């Protein structure tokens, strides 16, 4: 192995970003176990003797002669002077062009990029063959989408004017109604089994998110469920009997772990899965006997199922990568997203023991991220899927070309 993961146990993946001119050093991204922590950009030598952190940034980074690192900061393409010999920055980052999604730069100074729209998602119904049925509500900056059990409403995370809140959409009328009003980031909605309440996470008390509860009609105040909970925003779930909440929390030495928050009485939260690997995105089966989750114990994200509470049985559901598990309401199917963003289905035989079939693809989705929580949900009968999709899937935005991109730098 050329470059092993950091000994701290917090790194989960390395992605190479290309060599520097000397052919001995290369840039790479190190992804943290926490999905809320942006990846770190580092430079290392092929002999493994050097490893130098540069900065944290979620975009690709490209070295360009005569000595710049190019990267995106939000939607702005930045160029920062970089000495490839000393491996040092020699100046502050400078804006090159605004509103950038993807980009690439050639050695002769030609910059190609695709503009990025700030409003680029649309909640859309699809059937099992991937045929679009209808659009839901206005386009916007949606993330999570979670159906109520009666299928009449969807709770979503939606960003409007830079503020992330939970919104509830009446699916018959397509009308979104704002559900939370705090200036902090609200995320990870989940419904109670009777549809009367919604739980969600909020960072209103600082960088650490906690779980709140509110009546689904929007009336009344929000209730902090437990001050002892520290949540990684990676999806939370409420058990069918209403007694437990699954959530992910980042351990000091164990990466992301799945915890249980018992509701009622004086019970305290406790770890359900706690290992050297990252476990997150826990979802209860409809009968509450099992839970699906995502772990990187194989070296990549895969979907697993265990009994609840764990009693020795453990089954790997995906093969070749998987994330975002969801159950059909009768427990007869389990769905997940593959790395190529195909929606996969696995037949399940409900009962006291877990019996399942082979994963097969249903159709190609355009979810914005494979390894993010709740970018789709499924109706009770498994016949329709509400998917966070691009506004337009048939008309691609054109690429823009800038010759001699360094001429755009402000001196």
């Amino acid at each position: 192995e050329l470059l092993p993961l950091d000994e701290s146990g917090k790194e989960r993946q390395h992605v190479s970003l290309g060599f520097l001119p000397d052919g001995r050093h290369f840039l790479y991204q190190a992804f943290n176990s926490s999905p809320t922590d942006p990846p770190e950009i580092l430079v290392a030598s092929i002999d493994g003797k050097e490893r130098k952190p540069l900065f944290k940034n979620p975009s690709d980074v490209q070295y360009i002669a005569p000595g710049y690192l190019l990267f995106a900061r939000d939607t702005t393409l930045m160029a920062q002077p970089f000495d490839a010999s000393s491996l040092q920055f020699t100046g502050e980052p400078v804006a090159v062009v605004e509103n950038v999604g993807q980009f690439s730069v050639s050695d002769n100074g030609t910059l190609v990029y695709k503009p990025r729209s700030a409003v680029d998602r649309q909640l859309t119904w699809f059937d099992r063959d991937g045929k679009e049925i209808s659009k839901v509500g206005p386009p916007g900056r949606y993330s999570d989408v979670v159906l109520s059990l009666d299928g009449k409403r969807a709770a979503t995370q939606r960003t409007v004017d830079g503020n992330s809140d939970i919104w509830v959409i009446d699916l018959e009328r397509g009308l979104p109604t704002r559900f939370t009003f705090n200036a902090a980031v609200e995320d990870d909605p989940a419904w109670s089994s009777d549809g009367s309440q919604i739980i969600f996470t909020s960072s209103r008390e600082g960088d650490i998110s906690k779980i709140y509860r509110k009546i689904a009609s929007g009336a009344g105040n929000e209730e902090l469920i437990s001050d002892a909970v520290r949540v990684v925003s990676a999806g939370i779930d409420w058990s069918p009997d209403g007694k437990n909440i699954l959530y992910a929390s980042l351990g000091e030495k164990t990466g992301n772990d799945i915890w249980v928050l018992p509701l009622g009485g004086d019970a305290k939260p406790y770890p359900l899965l706690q290992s050297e690997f990252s476990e997150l995105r826990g979802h209860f089966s409809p009968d509450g006997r099992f839970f699906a989750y995502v772990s990187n114990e194989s070296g990549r994200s895969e979907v697993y199922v265990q009994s609840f509470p764990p009693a020795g049985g453990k089954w790997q559901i995906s093969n070749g990568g998987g994330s975002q598990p969801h159950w059909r309401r009768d427990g007869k199917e389990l769905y997940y997203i593959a790395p190529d963003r195909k929606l996969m289905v696995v037949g399940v035989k409900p009962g006291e023991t877990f019996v399942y079939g082979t994963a097969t693809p249903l159709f190609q989705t355009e979810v914005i991220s494979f390894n993010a929580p709740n970018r789709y949900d499924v109706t009770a009968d498994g016949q329709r899927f509400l998917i966070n999709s691009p506004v337009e899937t048939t008309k691609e935005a054109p690429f823009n070309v800038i010759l001699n991109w360094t001429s755009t730098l402000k001196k």
Side-chain angles (χ1 to χ4, degrees):
E1 186 175 12
L2 176 62
L3 194 65
L5 297 179
D6 186 84
E7 294 180 356
S8 68
K10 292 186 177 181
E11 289 185 348
R12 62 179 172 86
Q13 185 182 20
H14 291 163
V15 175
S16 175
L17 299 174
F19 278 95
L20 296 180
D22 64 3
R24 291 186 56 254
H25 293 88
F26 60 94
L27 297 166
Y28 73 97
Q29 280 179 316
F31 287 83
N32 196 293
S33 296
S34 170
T36 60
D37 192 12
E40 190 163 33
I41 309 301
L42 302 95
V43 60
S45 58
I46 58 175
D47 59 12
K49 295 181 179 180
E50 296 179 82
R51 185 191 301 213
K52 180 179 181 179
L54 298 177
F55 60 98
K56 288 189 174 184
N57 196 72
S59 88
D60 289 343
V61 176
Q62 189 173 348
Y63 174 83
I64 300 296
Y68 290 93
L69 291 187
L70 265 67
F71 57 93
R73 179 173 292 168
D74 294 326
T75 61
T76 301
L77 183 62
M78 310 294 293
Q80 187 163 5
F82 182 78
D83 186 337
S85 299
S86 64
L87 308 179
Q88 300 280 348
F89 287 114
T90 58
E92 295 299 315
V94 179
V96 177
V97 64
E98 304 284 345
N99 195 33
V100 172
Q102 300 167 292
F103 73 93
S104 182
V105 184
S106 67
D107 292 336
N108 66 6
T110 300
L111 165 65
V112 180
Y113 72 95
K114 178 181 283 191
R116 177 179 175 181
S117 172
V119 179
D120 60 355
R121 309 304 294 176
Q122 174 72 64
L123 301 183
T124 307
W125 283 112
F126 293 88
D127 65 16
R128 286 179 72 93
D129 295 323
K131 180 181 178 181
E132 181 179 321
I133 299 172
S134 62
K135 295 178 173 60
V136 175
R141 296 182 61 190
Y142 298 99
S143 295
D144 290 349
V145 52
V146 184
L147 291 171
S148 60
L149 268 68
D150 62 10
K152 295 181 179 181
R153 294 167 292 171
T156 71
Q157 182 201 19
R158 185 184 184 200
T159 301
V160 177
D161 296 329
N163 192 35
S164 170
D165 283 291
I166 306 302
W167 291 64
V168 175
I169 298 181
D170 180 325
L171 295 176
E172 292 183 359
R173 296 186 296 161
L175 178 65
T177 302
R178 189 172 174 181
F179 185 72
T180 63
F181 296 85
N182 197 278
V185 173
E186 274 72 51
D187 199 354
D188 305 309
W191 295 84
S192 62
S193 58
D194 62 1
S196 65
Q197 298 179 80
I198 296 174
I199 55 173
F200 58 91
T201 64
S202 177
S203 62
R204 62 189 63 179
E205 294 189 19
D207 295 334
I208 297 174
S209 292
K210 298 181 180 181
I211 300 176
Y212 292 77
R213 172 168 47 191
K214 188 177 181 180
I215 296 173
S217 66
N221 297 321
E222 299 157 2
E223 173 195 359
L224 174 63
I225 294 180
S226 171
D227 195 52
V229 169
R230 303 291 186 270
V231 182
V232 171
S233 290
I236 58 179
D237 196 38
W238 205 337
S239 63
D241 62 8
K243 295 181 179 179
N244 297 289
I245 292 172
L246 290 185
Y247 67 96
S249 186
L250 181 62
E252 292 184 2
K253 298 181 179 180
T254 56
N256 287 318
D257 304 312
I258 294 180
W259 285 64
V260 177
L261 172 61
L263 298 180
D266 297 325
K268 299 183 182 301
Y270 62 91
L272 185 68
L273 295 179
Q274 192 171 44
S275 75
E276 60 185 300
F277 305 107
S278 179
E279 300 95 9
L280 65 172
R281 314 204 202 297
H283 278 272
F284 286 104
S285 63
D287 61 8
R289 292 177 173 177
F290 304 94
F291 67 101
Y293 66 99
V294 177
S295 172
N296 66 354
E297 63 185 74
S298 69
R300 61 186 170 194
S301 294
E302 299 280 8
V303 175
Y304 297 82
V305 167
Q306 290 198 42
S307 57
F308 181 81
K314 177 180 174 182
W315 304 271
Q316 181 176 331
I317 304 303
S318 61
N319 184 16
S323 189
Q324 304 190 49
H326 282 283
W327 301 83
R328 200 167 85 179
R329 292 287 188 260
D330 60 7
K332 293 182 179 181
E333 287 184 332
L334 179 61
Y335 313 91
Y336 67 90
I337 298 292
D340 62 1
R341 296 184 292 175
K342 280 190 176 71
L343 179 64
M344 309 294 290
V345 61
V346 177
V348 177
K349 184 178 180 180
E352 293 186 8
T353 59
F354 187 72
V355 180
Y356 66 103
T358 302
T360 58
L362 280 177
F363 58 90
Q364 181 69 53
T365 76
E366 294 297 331
V367 295
I368 197 169
S369 176
F370 146 70
N371 208 10
N374 298 326
R375 295 310 191 255
Y376 76 98
D377 207 347
V378 57
T379 55
D381 60 4
Q383 299 303 305
R384 293 188 301 151
F385 300 85
L386 186 58
I387 299 180
N388 185 348
S389 301
V391 170
E392 293 181 344
T393 58
T394 58
K395 183 179 179 181
E396 288 286 338
F399 283 94
N400 291 347
V401 178
I402 298 177
L403 303 177
N404 188 22
W405 68 269
T406 54
S407 64
T408 66
L409 300 179
K410 298 177 181 179
K411 307 297 184 183

